[in-house]
Amino acid sequence: MASKGVRSELDIVLRDAQASRRMYLAVVDGKAKEVLEKSFSSEKFQTEGIDPLGLGDFVRSKTRNWNEEKWKREYGLLNVKVNVKMEIEETGITQ
């Protein structure tokens, strides 16, 4: 009889631990997403005149008579929103 009670308590502890882990991962995932989206803010890149996302390469590959000067002028006017989708596969300490 006592072992059944211990087992029930252990099941509850394990369920709580799994729920806590899922909540922790959700918070970490949300914060990482926020940081990455802020880091890849197109406004920052546009004011500095850099294109690390490769938008110019994409447009050039789809546009006949590519005009680099026109692109440079228009790049600063684009409205770009970076939406990060990620999934944490493993957690733990690494060396």
Side-chain angles (χ1 to χ4, degrees):
M1 200 73 139
S3 65
K4 199 171 200 177
V6 171
R7 186 173 177 163
S8 298
E9 288 180 34
L10 181 58
D11 288 341
I12 291 170
V13 169
L14 289 174
R15 268 197 312 268
D16 288 349
Q18 289 171 343
S20 295
R21 184 174 184 274
R22 282 192 300 273
M23 287 177 20
Y24 170 77
L25 289 177
V27 169
V28 169
D29 185 36
K31 288 292 183 188
K33 181 181 186 310
E34 181 183 320
V35 167
L36 288 171
E37 286 176 350
K38 226 180 245 185
S39 297
F40 284 101
S41 164
S42 65
E43 293 171 1
K44 182 172 77 173
F45 295 143
Q46 287 168 312
T47 58
E48 294 178 13
I50 57 175
D51 184 16
L53 301 176
L55 299 175
D57 291 336
F58 177 78
V59 172
R60 184 177 61 227
S61 72
K62 305 290 183 192
T63 307
R64 291 182 187 247
N65 303 319
W66 166 258
N67 182 328
E68 187 173 354
E69 290 305 314
K70 183 178 177 186
W71 166 252
K72 286 180 181 179
R73 285 191 307 271
E74 292 179 358
Y75 176 61
L77 304 174
L78 291 177
N79 184 12
V80 179
K81 178 164 175 31
V82 176
N83 184 12
V84 175
K85 294 182 182 180
M86 61 182 287
E87 181 178 324
I88 298 174
E89 292 183 7
E90 293 183 27
T91 61
I93 298 172
T94 61
Q95 291 182 349

